[in-house]
């Protein structure tokens, strides 16, 4: 899991949730087992916030580096990817 502070957590769907914080990565967890299933990189600074879109499989993260990244679930790869 996280080794540093966590700033925000949100459910992505009925089976997964995501957390962000001082490690510059998005952590994707399986809700039932609380197992870490994916780590997403793209920010160069702490990630302050995460927000799920009403569109299925899409969420956004905002970082102290001034960037906002949109992420989407790829059914072809069965994982989240940066848009």
């Amino acid at each position: 899991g996280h080794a540093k502070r966590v700033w925000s957590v949100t459910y992505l769907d009925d089976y997964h949730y995501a957390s962000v914080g001082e490690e510059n990565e998005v952590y994707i967890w399986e809700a039932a087992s609380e197992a870490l299933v994916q780590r997403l990189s793209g920010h160069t600074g702490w990630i302050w916030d995460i927000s799920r879109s009403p569109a299925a499989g899409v969420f956004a993260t905002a970082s102290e580096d001034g960037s906002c990244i949109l992420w989407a679930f790829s059914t072809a790869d069965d994982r989240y990817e940066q848009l």
Side-chain angles (χ1 to χ4, degrees):
H2 289 276
K4 298 181 181 179
R5 287 186 198 145
V6 174
W7 295 111
S8 187
V9 177
T10 191
Y11 271 90
L12 302 175
D13 55 37
D14 291 339
Y15 308 102
H16 300 92
Y17 64 93
S19 58
V20 297
E22 294 181 358
E23 293 162 310
N24 310 350
E25 293 182 308
V26 180
Y27 286 59
I28 308 293
W29 306 88
E30 183 178 61
S33 67
E34 296 185 359
L36 179 63
V37 295
Q38 190 177 358
R39 290 167 71 170
L40 305 172
S41 300
H43 291 289
T44 59
W46 296 354
I47 305 171
W48 295 112
D49 202 9
I50 182 169
S51 182
R52 185 180 73 165
S53 168
V58 178
F59 67 93
T61 52
S63 171
E64 72 166 353
D65 64 17
S67 68
C68 180
I69 297 177
L70 289 176
W71 307 89
F73 188 76
S74 168
T75 53
D77 297 325
D78 196 31
R79 59 184 291 125
Y80 284 90
E81 300 175 343
Q82 186 174 337
L83 291 179

